[in-house]
Structures are given as structure tokens and as C-alpha cells.
């Protein structure tokens, strides 16, 4: 048993001694390194080891949670005692409690989350990755005149979890990201865009040159962007902007939104909610996936969950609590918020690739908008109403023409999902949520 | 206040002589400047949902951040363990940024700065109060929301308080400390009618104890406002699409200033010339009706601080006076490199983050128009009074924000409520389009959270009623 597992075990043992009927504790320890370079010079260099313990106690059906970055025994003991006292003051909640013992396991699959070869990289080599990325962007075109910088971030994380039903497990993973934000300038003004790569393994990370060049291309093509008149046209989301739609779907199928009835997808299991070509999964078991883990933050074994299959809504995502509340089974989606409370989180949550090449999708549009970035918070998951600021490129006869900005795209998520007409073969994982190119039949563009 | 009274000396075995050692280590490879940021932060939160107290949470964050500046470079390391050897290790790691082999200048022994002022001088901190008193606030809110209208089906009320001890010690010999309270109450309602569902939200708070929750911040008042918004949305019409005249109501719509102007005036973006406002000091960037201020010294406000997170006193900073850009919001690094005066805007999320120029309480000064006359002067437009949130691209200057409560204006009268209206515009031009400013400046109720580079901090915004000649409204109705 690791040192972290021992600390977690000690905390729940103490909770039990103090009158808790059940408890669980998770510890997260991260060794982190990050460097930001700008205009060829190191701007910031940051390194640390951080630890955090998240505790949950139950007294019957009452619960309280706590978290601390201070793991010294005296502080921890006091916090455990206070947490038990707090639990006495909350209400009975009949769905409360740890996950059923029967679904917990001790053996877990090896998901290939750790790559120790990162450790052999010196700080200078790590800095050089960021420098090369920015250099590739700056040298891509003379219109790239400035930069918000490039950064390399690395973390090695250890998770330990123990509960009073005898579960005590741990796992370890690595992850790194390389990110670049060049700025292009012309008489029409400045434009920035970005590109990145993220991976658990060294050999899965895109090369600095690839990332820098792509980031530069994305910034350059935005130069001279202008408003377009208000219109109703087909909209194509590139894989980066399409990811945000997957985020909205995730929020709408999360068990906590469902029991609160604060989702436009409530009461619709078995119903068609999207176009028949749409399949969405939450797959925690993807080898080396950025969102993969052997068990969730409550010790429930993780799984592959069909969310939407051929357009039909199949499952919501559940923690032990939301599953009990809605008469369903936990899907291994329990996630600890920084506060220590358990919420619902995505693992590798993505829309499956379709059969179309991105060019083919473009060719199918006579007049429309190709969206590359969305900003603002104009999405109402309760009603499905959708209206966000968009940046993109105008499509004319199947070709990208001029860049567009200061417009919004609006609709309702219910109709948008049913109007997904074409799906690209280009699912792009730069995080745990991913999507391919998507074409939506029509949306209102609001502009001049 | 004496340095020795800080909790870090009393409870965490930090001594004055150690501080000198840590700073020497931090500057052992050279470097112009180093500082230590000790933080001990306690949070409590309680959530009421489905008419029961679902959870209570306590959080403890303790740690120290060590920063070394060498020219434009910053080295940073932190430790969540305040033992001597851990802090020395962090100091050595941060020192790595400076690569001159010569040792830095002599370290002055820190002496405490006497802080006379206190913008949150309260006898008792919310964290010290009985949990039962806090639960009572939530129960009052729940009751008020449910009795407001039978269509209110869900109420989620939450209470959060924070007590933050900060000690900042610099290689220039300055040592300052502060004790910062913060409290907030939120009420979210979901209304349901004939299968249609809508939500409403209202919150309030500041740097005070529970007596702040009175008047329009009382739990029943917050709850009724939240319920009213949810009910109103049930019958709201789809928002129009296209450009039109827009009137913003007083208070929280100040989020427009925060996004459209405030972020673009943060010094780091202007020093690096990545902001659409770079190089425009002394130039006209808005109509003469517009005077915009960032003021971190308003008593009990959510964005107020006695000192910023670099130990410098906060200020009232006039950013734009009668339409002319006066200056930027500075932190230490940018003020040195730009040779500008400090404005007390160096802020950070916690000991594990590097400080940056950030806003405090940002608002537009009152003008002379009566608010009702402003609405009357609009033939066809939109009146927006409540917003969900906003975002800006500081390089292109484009901003977006989402109205959660808005009405059509037809012939000078408010008519149908509209839903889902997003406003999109251009920061550098929106102030030029301000054609009327009301005499009714109001600050928001104390719920603002500002994000930048992954760091979130509490802020406040404010606005009088203003009229904007033309802005794009992103709805679905052509």
C-alpha cells in the first residue's frame, strides 16, 4: 500500500471511530512542470508538487465533505472531526451513501496511463519544445508578428482512494500538452488563434513544428474578418468548435441535471434525440485516453457507456447517488469536485466518426458558415436555447472564401442535434471530449 | 497590526529570520526581485436542494508561493507544506529562472508595513458563525421561492464563505499581511409549465458577515427575484436577430464594461501589444459621456482589497475619463517594464498561481439622463437588465455576453420579454456608440467571478442605465 493510500485509510478510520457510519477519502498528488515562452524567450517557469485530500463522511443518510491541501496529521485529524460534526447537521437524504459494495472490485484493467519516459526529459528539453513550437508559428508567415506565447505543461498524477467498505486502490498517470497562440497582423487589425496537442505518452504528442504551423495557419486565415448580413444558412463546425457541442450534450445527460429536471434531454431514454447518423459514447476504457481511468472517484469500476446510438438516447451518466435516486446503475462517472463533493464527470466523451471527408462536407454547402471558434455563455441546457458568438469562414459554392467575425449563431440544441446532416471522419482528441467535423442543416446567423 | 500577529507566525512556525533565508535562496542565482506569498484559506459551503440540506463542506488551503523575477522572466514554485526544507526547495526551484551565476543583491530584513486602512472592518467573520444560522438563511430562501408561484418546481440555494489569511514578503524588504472575509448566497429556481422548463438565478454577497443579507440581499428577496426570472422566461419570445439600439439597465450589466473594456486594459496584454487597446493612452476611445473607473477601495465590496496579492495598496484608478484612455491596470512586473505607476491590481487565485493584472470593482460613472427618458427615446430596440456571463477576445476586441432577462422596446415602451439574447460587439468601438448615460449608477449585488488564464478571482461590476446606438443581437427571429 502506498503512502497516499495509508493517509486516506487513516482519515476514514478516524471518521469511523468518531461516529461516521461510512466514509471515503481520495488523495490526488500532482508533480507539475510548466513553461511559457514568448517571442523566443522564456517568460514563466513553474514547478511544484501539490497534494489534496478530499473526504466524504456519512452518518446514516446524512453527509458532509471536506478537502485540504495541508496533509499534516494534526490538521487532518481536526478536519476529519469537524467533517463528522458537520454531517450531523445536514438532512437525511434517502439516496445518500457509498456505492453498493457488490459493484466494487479489486482487479482493474491496465489502461496504459503512465509513461515514465517523460521523466528522462531535462527542463531544457521541455523548454525547447515550447521554443520550437513558437518558432514554427513565427516563421510560418511574415504576417505573424506577435505571439501570446507557446507553452508546455506536464503532470504526473497519483490517485489513491479508500472507503470504509474495504476498497483501497490507486493508480498513476502522466499527461502533457503543447500549446501555441500566435498573432497575425494586417492593416485590418490583429487576430489570434491557437492549436495544441495533448497526450499521456511522449510518442503521441504532435511535433512542435506541426502545432506551430497549424496555429499560424489558423490565425492567418482570420485576418480581415468581417461581419456578414443576418441570414439562415447551413453551418459546419470544425472538430475544435464541435467539441463544445459535445460539452453541452454531456451536461444534458449528466444524472444530476436529470434528477433536477434541468436538462432538455430529461425523460427521453429510448427516444430519437439526434439525427440517425449520430452516435455518442462515454468510454473510460480507451487505452491511454486522456479521460481514461480504472475506477471513478467513488471506487466504481469504469465502463463504456452508449449515450446516443444511431440518434436514439440510450443512457444518462450516473454517480452512486444519482443512480440510486433515479433507479438506475452507476456508470463510473463519479467525479470529485475540488470541494470534495462528488459530481458527474465525462471520461472520454465523443461523437463517433462518420464517413465523410471534411472537404466533402464543405463541397456540399452552396452558401454557409464554417465555424472555427465559439465564445460566450449563451447556452441554456434547461431549454436547449443556443446563441453564441462565432468566428469562422464564409463558404461560397463549396469553398472557403473570407473570414467572418462579430456574428452569432443561434438555434435550439434539440433541433440542432436532429439537423446534423453530415459527420466527418476526423475525430480530434485534444482533451477528453472530442468530435469530428459536423454539418448542421441550418442556423440563424445574426450579423449586420 | 503587527507582523507577529499573522497566523503564519503564530500557528505555522514561520519566523522572521527564516523569511530572509527563503528570499536569499530565491535570489541565489541572481534575479531582480523575489517574493513569498503565504496563504491560509478556509471555505465553508452549504447546499439546500429538494427542501433538505444536502451537504456541508469545509475546505482548507495552505501553502506558499515563491516568485523570482529576472528581467521579463518569472520563475515560480510553491509548496503546500510550510516546513523549512520544503520552502527552501521551492525557493531553489523558482531561482532556476535566473541564470546569472553572480549572487543577487543583499536581502533586507523584512519589516512590517503598518496597514491603517481596512475596507472590511467587521467584528466577526462569517466563518466563525454557527452553521445553524447559515442553514436558516437557505431555508428562508427556499420557502420564499416556493411560495412565490406554484410553477416553481426546483429550488437550489447555496451559501459560501471564505476567510483568507495572506502574508506577502518581498526582497525589497516589505512584509504585509491581510485577513480577507468573503460571503455569498445564491438561489437558483426552475419553473415548469406544460412541459416547458426555464431557470432563474439571483445571488448576492460581499466582504461582510451575515448582516449583509438584508434588504434586497435578504434570502427572501434573492429567492423571489430568482423565481420571478424563471417564471418570466416561460413566456418569453424568441430573441430578434440583427443590429439594433440597445439599452442596458443599471448594475450587473456592467459585465459589458468588464468584458468589452476592462480585460483589454490589463497591462500585460498592452505591454505585449496583444490587446486591441495597446498604445492608445491619451486617445479618445469612447464618447465623452463615458468615464470608467476600477476601484478596489470600496468598503465591503466583493472586488475590494486592502492590498493586492503582491502586497501593494489598492487604488481608485480612472481608466477612461470623458472618453479618453488614461492608463492600464498594473501589476508589479508590467509597471516596471512599462515604467508606469502601480495601481494595486496584481491579483492571483492562490499560492499556486502567478499574479497578473486583474480588475477589482469596475464601473462607469453616472451621467445626467433620467433612466426612463433613455428607454422612451428608443423607437425599436432591446432593453437588457440581467446577464448570464460574458467573454472577450482581447486581440480582435470582440466580446459576447448573454442576456438572461431582456425586453423588446417598441415606441419607447417595454413590451415582450425575450429569451436567449446574446449581444456581440467590438470593445474598442462600443464606448464610442454610447449615446446616453443615466444618473443611476448601481454596483452589482456581489456575485462576480472573473476568469483569466485559468485563474478565477472575485470581482464586482457596475453601470448606470446606458444606451448604445447599435449592437448585434444574436437571436433566431429575423
Amino acid at each position: 500500500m502506498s503512502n497516499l493510500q495509508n493517509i486516506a485509510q487513516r482519515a476514514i478510520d478516524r471518521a469511523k471511530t468518531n461516529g461516521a457510519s461510512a466514509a471515503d477519502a481520495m488523495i490526488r498528488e500532482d508533480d507539475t512542470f510548466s513553461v511559457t515562452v514568448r517571442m523566443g524567450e522564456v517568460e514563466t517557469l513553474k514547478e511544484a508538487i501539490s497534494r489534496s485530500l478530499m473526504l466524504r463522511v456519512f452518518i446514516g443518510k446524512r453527509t458532509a465533505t471536506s478537502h485540504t491541501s495541508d496533509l499534516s496529521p494534526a490538521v487532518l485529524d481536526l478536519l476529519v472531526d469537524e467533517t463528522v460534526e458537520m454531517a450531523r447537521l445536514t438532512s437525511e437524504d434517502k439516496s445518500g451513501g457509498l456505492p453498493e459494495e457488490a459493484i466494487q472490485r479489486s482487479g482493474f484493467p491496465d489502461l496504459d496511463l503512465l509513461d515514465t519516459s517523460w521523466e528522462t526529459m531535462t527542463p531544457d528539453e521541455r523548454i525547447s519544445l515550447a521554443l520550437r513550437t513558437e518558432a514554427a508559428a513565427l516563421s510560418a508567415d511574415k504576417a505573424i508578428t506577435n505571439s501570446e506565447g507557446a507553452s508546455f505543461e506536464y503532470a504526473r498524477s497519483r490517485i489513491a482512494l479508500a472507503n470504509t467498505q474495504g476498497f483501497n486502490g490507486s493508480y498513476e498517470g502522466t499527461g502533457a500538452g503543447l500549446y501555441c497562440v500566435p498573432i497575425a497582423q494586417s492593416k485590418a487589425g490583429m487576430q489570434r488563434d491557437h492549436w495544441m496537442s495533448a497526450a499521456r505518452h511522449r510518442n503521441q504528442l504532435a511535433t512542435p513544428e506541426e502545432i506551430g504551423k497549424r496555429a499560424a495557419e489558423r490565425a492567418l486565415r482570420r485576418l480581415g474578418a468581417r461581419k456578414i448580413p443576418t441570414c439562415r444558412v447551413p453551418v459546419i463546425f470544425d472538430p475544435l468548435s464541435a467539441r463544445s457541442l459535445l460539452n453541452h450534450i454531456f451536461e444534458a445527460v449528466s444524472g444530476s441535471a436529470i434528477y433536477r429536471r434541468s436538462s432538455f434531454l430529461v425523460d427521453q431514454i429510448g427516444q430519437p434525440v439526434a439525427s440517425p447518423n449520430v452516435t455518442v459514447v462515454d468510454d473510460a476504457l480507451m487505452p491511454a485516453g486522456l479521460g481514461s481511468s480504472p475506477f471513478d472517484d467513488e471506487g466504481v469500476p469504469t465502463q463504456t457507456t452508449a449515450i446516443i446510438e444511431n440518434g436514439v438516447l440510450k443512457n444518462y451518466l450516473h454517480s452512486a447517488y444519482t443512480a440510486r435516486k433515479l433507479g438506475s446503475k452507476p456508470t463510473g462517472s463519479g467525479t470529485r469536485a475540488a470541494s470534495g463533493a462528488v459530481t458527474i464527470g465525462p471520461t472520454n466523451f465523443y461523437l463517433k466518426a462518420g464517413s465523410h471527408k471534411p472537404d466533402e462536407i464543405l463541397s456540399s454547402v452552396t452558401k454557409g458558415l464554417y465555424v472555427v471558434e465559439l465564445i460566450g455563455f449563451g447556452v441554456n441546457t434547461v431549454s436547449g436555447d443556443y446563441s453564441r458568438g462565432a468566428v469562422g469562414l464564409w463558404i461560397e459554392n463549396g469553398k472557403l472564401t473570407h473570414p467572418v467575425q462579430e456574428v452569432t449563431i443561434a438555434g435550439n440544441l434539440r433541433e440542432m442535434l436532429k439537423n446534423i446532416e453530415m459527420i466527418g471522419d476526423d475525430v480530434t482528441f485534444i482533451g477528453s471530449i472530442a468530435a469530428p467535423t459536423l454539418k448542421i442543416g441550418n442556423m440563424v446567423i445574426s450579423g449586420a | 497590526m503587527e507582523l507577529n500577529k499573522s497566523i503564519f507566525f503564530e500557528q505555522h512556525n514561520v519566523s522572521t529570520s527564516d523569511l530572509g533565508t527563503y528570499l536569499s535562496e530565491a535570489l541565489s542565482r541572481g534575479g531582480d526581485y523575489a517574493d513569498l506569498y503565504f496563504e491560509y484559506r478556509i471555505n465553508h459551503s452549504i447546499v439546500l436542494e429538494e427542501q433538505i440540506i444536502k451537504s456541508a463542506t469545509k475546505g482548507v488551503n495552505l501553502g506558499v508561493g515563491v516568485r523570482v523575477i529576472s528581467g521579463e522572466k518569472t520563475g515560480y514554485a510553491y509548496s503546500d507544506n510550510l516546513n523549512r526544507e520544503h520552502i527552501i526547495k521551492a525557493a531553489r526551484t523558482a531561482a532556476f529562472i535566473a541564470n546569472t551565476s553572480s549572487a543577487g543583491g543583499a536581502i533586507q530584513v523584512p519589516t512590517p508595513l503598518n496597514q491603517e486602512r481596512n475596507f472590511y472592518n467587521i467584528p466577526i467573520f462569517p466563518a466563525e458563525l454557527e452553521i445553524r444560522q447559515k442553514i436558516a438563511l437557505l431555508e428562508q430562501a427556499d420557502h420564499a421561492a416556493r411560495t412565490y408561484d406554484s410553477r416553481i418546481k426546483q429550488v437550489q440555494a447555496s451559501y459560501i464563505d471564505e476567510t483568507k489569511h495572506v502574508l506577502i514578503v518581498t526582497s525589497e524588504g516589505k512584509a504585509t499581511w491581510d485577513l480577507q472575509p468573503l460571503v455569498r448566497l445564491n438561489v437558483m429556481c426552475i419553473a415548469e409549465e406544460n412541459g416547458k422548463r426555464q431557470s432563474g438565478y439571483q445571488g448576492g454577497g460581499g466582504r461582510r458577515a451575515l448582516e449583509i443579507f438584508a434588504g434586497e440581499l435578504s434570502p427572501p428577496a434573492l429567492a423571489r427575484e430568482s423565481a420571478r426570472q424563471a417564471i418570466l422566461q416561460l413566456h418569453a419570445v424568441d430573441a430578434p436577430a440583427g443590429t439594433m439600439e440597445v439599452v442596458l439597465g443599471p448594475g450587473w450589466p456592467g459585465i459589458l464594461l468588464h468584458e468589452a473594456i476592462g480585460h483589454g486594459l490589463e497591462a500585460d496584454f498592452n505591454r505585449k501589444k496583444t490587446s486591441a487597446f495597446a498604445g492608445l493612452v491619451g486617445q479618445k476611445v469612447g464618447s465623452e459621456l463615458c468615464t470608467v473607473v476600477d476601484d478596489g477601495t470600496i468598503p465591503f465590496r466583493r472586488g475590494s482589497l486592502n492590498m493586492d496579492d503582491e502586497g501593494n495598496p489598492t487604488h481608485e484608478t480612472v481608466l477612461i475619463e470623458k472618453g479618453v484612455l488614461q492608463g492600464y491596470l498594473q501589476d508589479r512586473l508590467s509597471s516596471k517594464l512599462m515604467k508606469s505607476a502601480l495601481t494595486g491590481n496584481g491579483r492571483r487565485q492562490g499560492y499556486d498561481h502567478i499574479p497578473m493584472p486583474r480588475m477589482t470593482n469596475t464601473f462607469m460613472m453616472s451621467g445626467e439622463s433620467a433612466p426612463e427618458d433613455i428607454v422612451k427615446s428608443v423607437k425599436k430596440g432591446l432593453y437588457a437588465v440581467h446577464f448570464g456571463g460574458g467573454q472577450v477576445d482581447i486581440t480582435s476586441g470582440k466580446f459576447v455576453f448573454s442576456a438572461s432577462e431582456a425586453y423588446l422596446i417598441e415606441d419607447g415602451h417595454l413590451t415582450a420579454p425575450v429569451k436567449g439574447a446574446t449581444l456581440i460587439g467590438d470593445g474598442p468601438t462600443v464606448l464610442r456608440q454610447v449615446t446616453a448615460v443615466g444618473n443611476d449608477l448601481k454596483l452589482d449585488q456581489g456575485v462576480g467571478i472573473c476568469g483569466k488564464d485559468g485563474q478565477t478571482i472575485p470581482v464586482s461590476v457596475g453601470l448606470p442605465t446606458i444606451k448604445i446606438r447599435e449592437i448585434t443581437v444574436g437571436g433566431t427571429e429575423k
Side-chain angles (χ1 to χ4, degrees), chain B residues 13-316:
Chain B
N13 300 321
V14 174
S15 78
T16 318
S17 66
D18 283 343
L19 296 174
T21 311
Y22 303 151
L23 289 167
S24 305
E25 282 296 342
L27 291 177
S28 59
R29 290 168 59 95
D32 314 320
Y33 170 87
D35 61 17
L36 308 168
Y37 176 91
F38 290 86
E39 180 190 20
Y40 177 57
R41 187 172 84 237
I42 305 289
N43 299 83
H44 294 96
S45 73
I46 309 167
V47 177
L48 177 150
E49 191 185 61
E50 299 181 302
Q51 297 183 278
I52 60 172
I53 299 300
K54 276 232 171 139
S55 71
T57 300
K58 177 174 180 171
V60 179
N61 286 277
L62 172 74
V64 58
V66 186
R67 174 169 67 151
V68 176
I69 296 179
S70 173
E72 292 191 41
K73 298 179 193 175
T74 302
Y76 200 83
Y78 61 89
S79 168
D80 44 29
N81 185 322
L82 297 193
N83 285 336
R84 200 182 143 85
E85 65 273 26
H86 283 91
I87 303 181
I88 287 179
K89 185 172 175 241
R92 283 186 186 144
T93 306
F96 194 76
I97 196 74
N99 44 21
T100 51
S101 52
S102 66
I107 307 297
Q108 292 160 291
V109 176
T111 48
L113 252 195
N114 203 7
Q115 291 262 359
E116 300 268 307
R117 59 193 200 152
N118 191 346
F119 302 121
Y120 18 88
N121 189 4
I122 56 176
I124 186 157
F125 272 41
E128 295 165 52
L129 296 164
E130 280 266 331
I131 189 167
R132 286 179 208 281
Q133 279 179 268
K134 303 169 186 177
I135 288 174
L137 296 175
L138 298 176
E139 288 171 345
Q140 288 165 31
D142 181 68
H143 179 75
R146 287 178 191 273
T147 50
Y148 179 85
D149 192 301
S150 61
R151 289 170 289 177
I152 297 296
K153 300 295 182 199
Q154 288 279 352
V155 180
Q156 192 186 66
S158 60
Y159 165 93
I160 303 164
D161 68 40
E162 176 180 293
T163 305
K164 188 165 165 174
H165 299 255
V166 183
L167 165 69
I168 299 163
V169 188
T170 77
S171 61
E172 288 164 348
K174 220 164 52 163
T176 41
W177 68 276
D178 198 16
L179 184 51
Q180 301 160 352
L182 192 63
V183 67
R184 190 168 67 150
L185 194 60
N186 294 329
V187 187
M188 201 268 286
C189 291
I190 291 185
E192 200 165 338
E193 184 181 34
N194 301 330
K196 271 203 289 190
R197 278 180 301 276
Q198 286 289 353
S199 58
Y201 167 87
Q202 186 71 3
R207 298 195 185 274
R208 282 185 84 172
L210 302 190
E211 67 269 14
I212 196 170
F213 299 116
E216 67 172 352
L217 297 191
S218 71
L222 294 173
R224 283 192 293 264
E225 176 57 20
S226 167
R228 186 191 63 77
Q229 287 178 29
I231 299 285
L232 181 82
Q233 291 298 316
L234 286 174
H235 297 283
V237 300
D238 287 333
T243 57
M244 62 194 65
E245 207 165 22
V246 170
V247 176
L248 300 177
W252 183 234
I255 190 169
L256 174 118
L257 275 187
H258 178 100
E259 296 301 337
I261 313 294
H263 278 295
L265 297 183
E266 289 165 344
D268 47 353
F269 299 130
N270 290 284
R271 170 168 65 84
K272 299 171 190 175
K273 301 196 172 13
T274 59
S275 164
F277 284 98
L280 296 182
V281 171
Q283 295 194 30
K284 196 145 185 276
V285 297
S287 100
E288 280 169 15
L289 300 169
C290 299
T291 293
V292 179
V293 171
D294 181 87
D295 185 355
T297 72
I298 308 170
F300 310 120
R301 281 283 157 188
R302 184 169 166 85
S304 297
L305 291 169
N306 293 328
M307 61 177 198
D308 70 3
D309 295 321
E310 301 182 301
N312 295 307
T314 48
H315 279 274
E316 179 186 355

Side-chain angles (χ1 to χ4, degrees), chain A residues 26-310:
Chain A
M26 182 170 121
I27 303 182
R28 191 185 170 98
E29 182 177 72
D30 295 298
D31 302 358
T32 60
F33 173 95
S34 71
V35 56
T36 303
V37 302
R38 186 177 165 269
M39 302 310 278
E41 299 281 346
V42 174
E43 193 174 62
T44 61
L45 198 58
K46 191 172 161 185
E47 194 170 356
I49 300 174
S50 63
R51 298 204 292 184
S52 174
L53 178 138
M54 289 152 278
L55 174 73
R56 174 171 65 163
V57 307
F58 294 94
I59 297 180
K61 295 286 183 189
R62 300 172 196 270
T63 186
T65 57
S66 58
H67 68 97
T68 177
S69 71
D70 185 350
L71 269 56
S72 55
V75 169
L76 205 49
D77 285 355
L78 184 63
L79 188 67
V80 170
D81 300 355
E82 285 177 339
T83 311
V84 174
E85 283 314 302
M86 279 197 302
R88 294 186 206 280
L89 297 169
T90 62
S91 315
E92 293 260 348
D93 185 344
K94 63 181 191 304
S95 306
L98 293 174
E100 315 301 329
E101 225 167 322
I103 59 167
Q104 298 174 39
R105 282 200 306 252
S106 51
F108 293 100
D110 176 7
L111 297 171
D112 197 19
L113 307 180
L114 184 71
D115 179 0
T116 52
S117 74
W118 289 109
E119 306 286 334
T120 62
M121 252 181 133
T122 64
D124 282 338
E125 286 174 310
R126 294 173 179 188
I127 292 168
S128 135
L129 279 183
L131 286 170
R132 277 166 58 197
T133 307
E134 196 200 35
L138 289 171
S139 63
D141 193 289
K142 61 180 189 321
I144 303 287
T145 54
N146 198 349
S147 158
E148 274 183 24
S151 55
F152 171 78
E153 291 181 12
Y154 166 74
R156 178 168 179 165
S157 311
R158 290 166 213 97
I159 310 287
L161 179 73
N163 74 24
T164 50
Q165 293 168 342
F167 181 93
N168 195 326
S170 71
Y171 62 91
E172 193 172 359
T174 46
L178 191 53
Y179 188 84
C180 182
V181 192
I183 292 176
Q185 183 142 29
S186 71
K187 280 182 197 141
M190 284 190 285
Q191 293 286 346
R192 59 117 193 81
D193 206 326
H194 70 278
W195 192 246
M196 67 175 299
S197 171
R200 289 191 176 275
H201 289 258
R202 258 177 99 165
N203 60 14
Q204 292 167 335
L205 198 70
T207 68
E209 288 68 29
E210 238 174 293
I211 298 165
K213 189 162 169 276
R214 183 118 181 230
E217 285 165 4
R218 289 177 65 93
L220 285 166
R221 68 181 182 180
R222 285 167 71 153
L223 281 174
R226 57 183 200 254
K227 262 193 199 185
I228 50 170
T230 301
C231 57
R232 183 184 282 273
V233 290
V235 170
I236 299 176
F237 291 78
D238 80 343
L240 213 59
S241 56
R243 285 178 77 205
S244 66
L245 293 177
L246 270 289
N247 252 315
H248 307 321
I249 298 175
F250 161 71
E251 279 171 36
V253 299
S254 129
S256 47
I258 299 304
Y259 85 73
R260 289 177 186 136
R261 304 185 63 77
S262 62
S263 160
F264 69 95
L265 291 177
V266 74
D267 295 336
Q268 289 181 73
I269 294 285
Q271 303 289 315
V273 296
S275 144
N277 52 1
V278 172
T279 292
V280 175
V281 294
D282 181 68
D283 182 7
L285 304 176
M286 186 187 286
L290 289 160
S292 301
S293 68
F295 51 85
D296 77 357
D297 294 354
E298 319 184 84
V300 174
T302 52
Q303 61 181 42
T304 304
T305 309
I307 303 297
I308 296 173
E309 215 164 72
N310 303 323

